Amino acid sequence: MDEIRKIWLHNPKMPLENYNKLFEGKQIEAVILGNDINKIHRAVDEGLRTFVCLHSFSAKPHFDNEEYLCRDIEGNSHIWFGSPCPNKAPVLERFISNIEKAASIDGVEGVFLDGCRFASPCSSEKAEAFLTCFCSDCCKKSEDLGFDMDIIKRDVKELYNLITGTDSNIAVEIKYIRSREDLYCVLPGLKEWIDFRTACVNGFLELARDTVKRCSEDKKLCMYSFFPAISPAVGQRYAEMREYVDIFSPMLYRRYDRPSGPACMDHEISRLVKLLSGNPYISPTEAIQIVQAITGLSLEGFNNAEDIKQGLKTVHVYEEAKRVIDEVDGRKVVPIIMADDPDIPGHFYQFSKLGLDTVNLF
Ligand SMILES: [Zn+2]
């Protein structure tokens, strides 16, 4: 029942004829390329739908200077996923000008944003990088938007104490949560923190959409987005992002066999379980139950963080793709999966059940 008919390729590593052979009977329809003008022109000339992918917020010099970096609750600076704080005016100006340049290239159909978010659990080796940003610009912006920074700081600090094992009281409470709402009852500042992140990301996307559409109404704003189980934590809420984004490519990397894997489902979920079970009052089984309650992912059959890091199942990919489709209500969804996943047909089968006909390969 494999109805996948079209393949998109993110930065193809082989000549196209190899992909044609590999996916015989399917159409290689589109490529998503970096900002390499020769490759872009060649793809357009070959008649492929051509998109340009941008690293939304890059900490390349001079944006790796201290003044641009995210701050944790203690004021220490962090680079996460090669990014500085997205709320710095010069960082946002660069974001807009990069989008403008890419969208104005003749023949380019649209721009894919990567990393248009805040830090996730796996965006840095250090968990503290996830629990950001408390720089002066973010603090001011959150107050301006009506968020209560004192409560946010208090509860993000509680979360930090929880995962570093210095707080036993919160560990006892957190064991009994059965949903994300339960977590917000215990730590209401976390909801404010996530709402602030979401408001910022929606603002970035609004700017990005305006920029793309200024080049041409036909050009599209597209996005590499987080899997829904934890996308709210990085500031990405599909039901809100759908207002700005034409094409979503949710990153559904269920099995990434490398030491570090930001945005990969197995790595991110495994890291959450590991952080929680690092608290002496929380067992690995309890940690899995908590993560299951917060994320809505079904994790039966997994015993600990290491287990999860061996890879999730294609049924998890199905569940997450379904959540995206339900939440974006009519916007185009082209999930992206790892090109070297050992079970590509299994993914195609799961996506077919959802009525999808196109898959993007990383
Ligand atoms: Zn900041």
Side-chain angles (χ1 to χ4, degrees), residues 211-236:
T211 310
V212 167
K213 301 294 173 182
R214 256 201 315 278
C215 290
S216 160
E217 263 306 316
D218 299 331
K219 301 238 175 181
K220 297 186 181 77
L221 181 64
C222 320
M223 180 175 202
Y224 286 131
S225 47
F226 251 63
F227 58 105
I230 68 162
S231 68
V234 301
Q236 296 184 341

PDB file of all heavy atoms in Angstrom, residues 211-236:
ATOM      1  N   THR A 211       8.923  38.725   4.397  1.00  0.00           N
ATOM      2  CA  THR A 211      10.107  38.896   3.547  1.00  0.00           C
ATOM      3  C   THR A 211       9.989  38.057   2.275  1.00  0.00           C
ATOM      4  O   THR A 211      10.250  38.539   1.172  1.00  0.00           O
ATOM      5  CB  THR A 211      11.384  38.492   4.325  1.00  0.00           C
ATOM      6  OG1 THR A 211      11.375  39.163   5.581  1.00  0.00           O
ATOM      7  CG2 THR A 211      12.635  38.853   3.550  1.00  0.00           C
ATOM      8  N   VAL A 212       9.586  36.800   2.444  1.00  0.00           N
ATOM      9  CA  VAL A 212       9.449  35.904   1.288  1.00  0.00           C
ATOM     10  C   VAL A 212       8.391  36.439   0.324  1.00  0.00           C
ATOM     11  O   VAL A 212       8.602  36.504  -0.894  1.00  0.00           O
ATOM     12  CB  VAL A 212       9.094  34.469   1.761  1.00  0.00           C
ATOM     13  CG1 VAL A 212       8.645  33.606   0.596  1.00  0.00           C
ATOM     14  CG2 VAL A 212      10.288  33.833   2.455  1.00  0.00           C
ATOM     15  N   LYS A 213       7.240  36.843   0.882  1.00  0.00           N
ATOM     16  CA  LYS A 213       6.128  37.272   0.021  1.00  0.00           C
ATOM     17  C   LYS A 213       6.398  38.630  -0.636  1.00  0.00           C
ATOM     18  O   LYS A 213       5.783  38.945  -1.650  1.00  0.00           O
ATOM     19  CB  LYS A 213       4.813  37.320   0.817  1.00  0.00           C
ATOM     20  CG  LYS A 213       4.415  35.987   1.441  1.00  0.00           C
ATOM     21  CD  LYS A 213       4.059  34.915   0.403  1.00  0.00           C
ATOM     22  CE  LYS A 213       3.840  33.561   1.049  1.00  0.00           C
ATOM     23  NZ  LYS A 213       3.541  32.487   0.101  1.00  0.00           N
ATOM     24  N   ARG A 214       7.293  39.423  -0.030  1.00  0.00           N
ATOM     25  CA  ARG A 214       7.695  40.685  -0.672  1.00  0.00           C
ATOM     26  C   ARG A 214       8.435  40.411  -1.980  1.00  0.00           C
ATOM     27  O   ARG A 214       8.336  41.171  -2.941  1.00  0.00           O
ATOM     28  CB  ARG A 214       8.607  41.495   0.257  1.00  0.00           C
ATOM     29  CG  ARG A 214       7.909  42.665   0.927  1.00  0.00           C
ATOM     30  CD  ARG A 214       8.877  43.736   1.411  1.00  0.00           C
ATOM     31  NE  ARG A 214      10.052  43.247   2.098  1.00  0.00           N
ATOM     32  CZ  ARG A 214      10.093  42.899   3.394  1.00  0.00           C
ATOM     33  NH1 ARG A 214       9.019  42.989   4.133  1.00  0.00           N
ATOM     34  NH2 ARG A 214      11.222  42.462   3.940  1.00  0.00           N
ATOM     35  N   CYS A 215       9.196  39.289  -1.997  1.00  0.00           N
ATOM     36  CA  CYS A 215       9.908  38.916  -3.236  1.00  0.00           C
ATOM     37  C   CYS A 215       8.894  38.502  -4.299  1.00  0.00           C
ATOM     38  O   CYS A 215       9.011  38.886  -5.449  1.00  0.00           O
ATOM     39  CB  CYS A 215      10.877  37.777  -2.976  1.00  0.00           C
ATOM     40  SG  CYS A 215      12.272  38.291  -1.977  1.00  0.00           S
ATOM     41  N   SER A 216       7.923  37.688  -3.893  1.00  0.00           N
ATOM     42  CA  SER A 216       6.857  37.269  -4.802  1.00  0.00           C
ATOM     43  C   SER A 216       5.795  36.536  -4.000  1.00  0.00           C
ATOM     44  O   SER A 216       6.125  35.712  -3.134  1.00  0.00           O
ATOM     45  CB  SER A 216       7.418  36.347  -5.893  1.00  0.00           C
ATOM     46  OG  SER A 216       6.355  35.607  -6.465  1.00  0.00           O
ATOM     47  N   GLU A 217       4.544  36.784  -4.307  1.00  0.00           N
ATOM     48  CA  GLU A 217       3.444  36.101  -3.605  1.00  0.00           C
ATOM     49  C   GLU A 217       3.505  34.591  -3.836  1.00  0.00           C
ATOM     50  O   GLU A 217       3.005  33.812  -3.034  1.00  0.00           O
ATOM     51  CB  GLU A 217       2.090  36.648  -4.078  1.00  0.00           C
ATOM     52  CG  GLU A 217       1.491  37.719  -3.185  1.00  0.00           C
ATOM     53  CD  GLU A 217       1.351  37.320  -1.708  1.00  0.00           C
ATOM     54  OE1 GLU A 217       0.907  36.199  -1.436  1.00  0.00           O
ATOM     55  OE2 GLU A 217       1.703  38.148  -0.832  1.00  0.00           O
ATOM     56  N   ASP A 218       4.128  34.195  -4.976  1.00  0.00           N
ATOM     57  CA  ASP A 218       4.189  32.758  -5.295  1.00  0.00           C
ATOM     58  C   ASP A 218       5.258  32.013  -4.506  1.00  0.00           C
ATOM     59  O   ASP A 218       5.250  30.790  -4.443  1.00  0.00           O
ATOM     60  CB  ASP A 218       4.483  32.561  -6.791  1.00  0.00           C
ATOM     61  CG  ASP A 218       3.404  33.174  -7.664  1.00  0.00           C
ATOM     62  OD1 ASP A 218       2.246  33.222  -7.187  1.00  0.00           O
ATOM     63  OD2 ASP A 218       3.707  33.613  -8.784  1.00  0.00           O
ATOM     64  N   LYS A 219       6.218  32.753  -3.961  1.00  0.00           N
ATOM     65  CA  LYS A 219       7.313  32.062  -3.248  1.00  0.00           C
ATOM     66  C   LYS A 219       6.811  31.563  -1.903  1.00  0.00           C
ATOM     67  O   LYS A 219       5.908  32.144  -1.298  1.00  0.00           O
ATOM     68  CB  LYS A 219       8.491  33.012  -3.076  1.00  0.00           C
ATOM     69  CG  LYS A 219       9.027  33.517  -4.416  1.00  0.00           C
ATOM     70  CD  LYS A 219      10.476  33.212  -4.652  1.00  0.00           C
ATOM     71  CE  LYS A 219      10.882  33.655  -6.056  1.00  0.00           C
ATOM     72  NZ  LYS A 219      12.266  33.379  -6.368  1.00  0.00           N
ATOM     73  N   LYS A 220       7.418  30.468  -1.446  1.00  0.00           N
ATOM     74  CA  LYS A 220       6.883  29.794  -0.257  1.00  0.00           C
ATOM     75  C   LYS A 220       7.831  29.858   0.934  1.00  0.00           C
ATOM     76  O   LYS A 220       9.050  29.748   0.773  1.00  0.00           O
ATOM     77  CB  LYS A 220       6.602  28.334  -0.589  1.00  0.00           C
ATOM     78  CG  LYS A 220       5.531  28.172  -1.662  1.00  0.00           C
ATOM     79  CD  LYS A 220       5.173  26.718  -1.866  1.00  0.00           C
ATOM     80  CE  LYS A 220       4.110  26.574  -2.955  1.00  0.00           C
ATOM     81  NZ  LYS A 220       4.688  26.715  -4.312  1.00  0.00           N
ATOM     82  N   LEU A 221       7.226  30.004   2.111  1.00  0.00           N
ATOM     83  CA  LEU A 221       8.003  29.861   3.340  1.00  0.00           C
ATOM     84  C   LEU A 221       7.832  28.425   3.835  1.00  0.00           C
ATOM     85  O   LEU A 221       6.706  27.948   4.026  1.00  0.00           O
ATOM     86  CB  LEU A 221       7.537  30.833   4.427  1.00  0.00           C
ATOM     87  CG  LEU A 221       8.352  30.713   5.729  1.00  0.00           C
ATOM     88  CD1 LEU A 221       9.812  31.102   5.508  1.00  0.00           C
ATOM     89  CD2 LEU A 221       7.748  31.543   6.845  1.00  0.00           C
ATOM     90  N   CYS A 222       8.969  27.757   3.992  1.00  0.00           N
ATOM     91  CA  CYS A 222       8.959  26.346   4.372  1.00  0.00           C
ATOM     92  C   CYS A 222       9.831  26.174   5.617  1.00  0.00           C
ATOM     93  O   CYS A 222      10.615  27.048   5.951  1.00  0.00           O
ATOM     94  CB  CYS A 222       9.507  25.476   3.249  1.00  0.00           C
ATOM     95  SG  CYS A 222       8.980  25.982   1.606  1.00  0.00           S
ATOM     96  N   MET A 223       9.694  25.028   6.235  1.00  0.00           N
ATOM     97  CA  MET A 223      10.328  24.913   7.537  1.00  0.00           C
ATOM     98  C   MET A 223      10.710  23.485   7.889  1.00  0.00           C
ATOM     99  O   MET A 223       9.919  22.563   7.692  1.00  0.00           O
ATOM    100  CB  MET A 223       9.324  25.433   8.555  1.00  0.00           C
ATOM    101  CG  MET A 223       9.789  25.397   9.955  1.00  0.00           C
ATOM    102  SD  MET A 223       8.524  26.172  10.946  1.00  0.00           S
ATOM    103  CE  MET A 223       9.520  26.597  12.344  1.00  0.00           C
ATOM    104  N   TYR A 224      11.933  23.317   8.398  1.00  0.00           N
ATOM    105  CA  TYR A 224      12.305  22.071   9.061  1.00  0.00           C
ATOM    106  C   TYR A 224      11.917  22.229  10.522  1.00  0.00           C
ATOM    107  O   TYR A 224      12.519  23.022  11.248  1.00  0.00           O
ATOM    108  CB  TYR A 224      13.796  21.788   8.905  1.00  0.00           C
ATOM    109  CG  TYR A 224      14.163  21.316   7.515  1.00  0.00           C
ATOM    110  CD1 TYR A 224      15.209  21.873   6.794  1.00  0.00           C
ATOM    111  CD2 TYR A 224      13.435  20.294   6.925  1.00  0.00           C
ATOM    112  CE1 TYR A 224      15.523  21.438   5.513  1.00  0.00           C
ATOM    113  CE2 TYR A 224      13.738  19.846   5.649  1.00  0.00           C
ATOM    114  CZ  TYR A 224      14.785  20.418   4.953  1.00  0.00           C
ATOM    115  OH  TYR A 224      15.076  19.977   3.693  1.00  0.00           O
ATOM    116  N   SER A 225      10.879  21.511  10.921  1.00  0.00           N
ATOM    117  CA  SER A 225      10.300  21.721  12.245  1.00  0.00           C
ATOM    118  C   SER A 225      10.511  20.494  13.129  1.00  0.00           C
ATOM    119  O   SER A 225      10.712  19.386  12.638  1.00  0.00           O
ATOM    120  CB  SER A 225       8.813  22.029  12.097  1.00  0.00           C
ATOM    121  OG  SER A 225       8.205  21.114  11.211  1.00  0.00           O
ATOM    122  N   PHE A 226      10.429  20.731  14.441  1.00  0.00           N
ATOM    123  CA  PHE A 226      10.632  19.664  15.424  1.00  0.00           C
ATOM    124  C   PHE A 226       9.447  18.702  15.448  1.00  0.00           C
ATOM    125  O   PHE A 226       8.317  19.076  15.137  1.00  0.00           O
ATOM    126  CB  PHE A 226      10.801  20.268  16.816  1.00  0.00           C
ATOM    127  CG  PHE A 226      12.210  20.165  17.319  1.00  0.00           C
ATOM    128  CD1 PHE A 226      13.243  20.820  16.657  1.00  0.00           C
ATOM    129  CD2 PHE A 226      12.507  19.407  18.437  1.00  0.00           C
ATOM    130  CE1 PHE A 226      14.548  20.709  17.107  1.00  0.00           C
ATOM    131  CE2 PHE A 226      13.813  19.300  18.894  1.00  0.00           C
ATOM    132  CZ  PHE A 226      14.834  19.944  18.233  1.00  0.00           C
ATOM    133  N   PHE A 227       9.718  17.468  15.863  1.00  0.00           N
ATOM    134  CA  PHE A 227       8.612  16.511  16.023  1.00  0.00           C
ATOM    135  C   PHE A 227       7.716  16.998  17.162  1.00  0.00           C
ATOM    136  O   PHE A 227       8.203  17.534  18.171  1.00  0.00           O
ATOM    137  CB  PHE A 227       9.144  15.092  16.233  1.00  0.00           C
ATOM    138  CG  PHE A 227      10.053  14.897  17.414  1.00  0.00           C
ATOM    139  CD1 PHE A 227       9.592  14.265  18.552  1.00  0.00           C
ATOM    140  CD2 PHE A 227      11.362  15.337  17.381  1.00  0.00           C
ATOM    141  CE1 PHE A 227      10.419  14.079  19.650  1.00  0.00           C
ATOM    142  CE2 PHE A 227      12.195  15.165  18.470  1.00  0.00           C
ATOM    143  CZ  PHE A 227      11.724  14.531  19.609  1.00  0.00           C
ATOM    144  N   PRO A 228       6.385  16.844  16.989  1.00  0.00           N
ATOM    145  CA  PRO A 228       5.433  17.495  17.900  1.00  0.00           C
ATOM    146  C   PRO A 228       5.548  17.093  19.365  1.00  0.00           C
ATOM    147  O   PRO A 228       5.133  17.855  20.235  1.00  0.00           O
ATOM    148  CB  PRO A 228       4.064  17.089  17.361  1.00  0.00           C
ATOM    149  CG  PRO A 228       4.298  16.532  16.013  1.00  0.00           C
ATOM    150  CD  PRO A 228       5.735  16.154  15.878  1.00  0.00           C
ATOM    151  N   ALA A 229       6.116  15.925  19.645  1.00  0.00           N
ATOM    152  CA  ALA A 229       6.215  15.497  21.048  1.00  0.00           C
ATOM    153  C   ALA A 229       6.949  16.544  21.882  1.00  0.00           C
ATOM    154  O   ALA A 229       6.599  16.766  23.033  1.00  0.00           O
ATOM    155  CB  ALA A 229       6.923  14.143  21.146  1.00  0.00           C
ATOM    156  N   ILE A 230       7.974  17.172  21.311  1.00  0.00           N
ATOM    157  CA  ILE A 230       8.669  18.194  22.096  1.00  0.00           C
ATOM    158  C   ILE A 230       8.763  19.546  21.382  1.00  0.00           C
ATOM    159  O   ILE A 230       9.411  20.456  21.894  1.00  0.00           O
ATOM    160  CB  ILE A 230      10.072  17.752  22.571  1.00  0.00           C
ATOM    161  CG1 ILE A 230      11.050  17.594  21.417  1.00  0.00           C
ATOM    162  CG2 ILE A 230      10.025  16.491  23.411  1.00  0.00           C
ATOM    163  CD1 ILE A 230      12.486  17.595  21.939  1.00  0.00           C
ATOM    164  N   SER A 231       8.102  19.680  20.228  1.00  0.00           N
ATOM    165  CA  SER A 231       8.210  20.960  19.516  1.00  0.00           C
ATOM    166  C   SER A 231       7.785  22.177  20.367  1.00  0.00           C
ATOM    167  O   SER A 231       8.418  23.232  20.266  1.00  0.00           O
ATOM    168  CB  SER A 231       7.440  20.916  18.192  1.00  0.00           C
ATOM    169  OG  SER A 231       6.061  20.834  18.406  1.00  0.00           O
ATOM    170  N   PRO A 232       6.755  22.057  21.230  1.00  0.00           N
ATOM    171  CA  PRO A 232       6.408  23.242  22.028  1.00  0.00           C
ATOM    172  C   PRO A 232       7.585  23.722  22.892  1.00  0.00           C
ATOM    173  O   PRO A 232       7.749  24.924  23.106  1.00  0.00           O
ATOM    174  CB  PRO A 232       5.249  22.759  22.904  1.00  0.00           C
ATOM    175  CG  PRO A 232       4.672  21.603  22.165  1.00  0.00           C
ATOM    176  CD  PRO A 232       5.833  20.937  21.508  1.00  0.00           C
ATOM    177  N   ALA A 233       8.391  22.776  23.374  1.00  0.00           N
ATOM    178  CA  ALA A 233       9.499  23.153  24.264  1.00  0.00           C
ATOM    179  C   ALA A 233      10.534  24.035  23.570  1.00  0.00           C
ATOM    180  O   ALA A 233      11.256  24.790  24.222  1.00  0.00           O
ATOM    181  CB  ALA A 233      10.173  21.899  24.828  1.00  0.00           C
ATOM    182  N   VAL A 234      10.631  23.945  22.236  1.00  0.00           N
ATOM    183  CA  VAL A 234      11.594  24.805  21.515  1.00  0.00           C
ATOM    184  C   VAL A 234      10.898  26.037  20.941  1.00  0.00           C
ATOM    185  O   VAL A 234      11.517  26.842  20.247  1.00  0.00           O
ATOM    186  CB  VAL A 234      12.357  24.040  20.405  1.00  0.00           C
ATOM    187  CG1 VAL A 234      13.129  22.863  20.998  1.00  0.00           C
ATOM    188  CG2 VAL A 234      11.447  23.584  19.276  1.00  0.00           C
ATOM    189  N   GLY A 235       9.591  26.166  21.223  1.00  0.00           N
ATOM    190  CA  GLY A 235       8.849  27.346  20.767  1.00  0.00           C
ATOM    191  C   GLY A 235       8.081  27.123  19.471  1.00  0.00           C
ATOM    192  O   GLY A 235       7.638  28.075  18.846  1.00  0.00           O
ATOM    193  N   GLN A 236       7.944  25.847  19.069  1.00  0.00           N
ATOM    194  CA  GLN A 236       7.244  25.562  17.804  1.00  0.00           C
ATOM    195  C   GLN A 236       5.904  24.886  18.074  1.00  0.00           C
ATOM    196  O   GLN A 236       5.855  23.702  18.435  1.00  0.00           O
ATOM    197  CB  GLN A 236       8.114  24.676  16.902  1.00  0.00           C
ATOM    198  CG  GLN A 236       9.407  25.370  16.478  1.00  0.00           C
ATOM    199  CD  GLN A 236      10.238  24.531  15.511  1.00  0.00           C
ATOM    200  OE1 GLN A 236      10.060  23.313  15.395  1.00  0.00           O
ATOM    201  NE2 GLN A 236      11.166  25.175  14.828  1.00  0.00           N
TER     202      GLN A 236
END
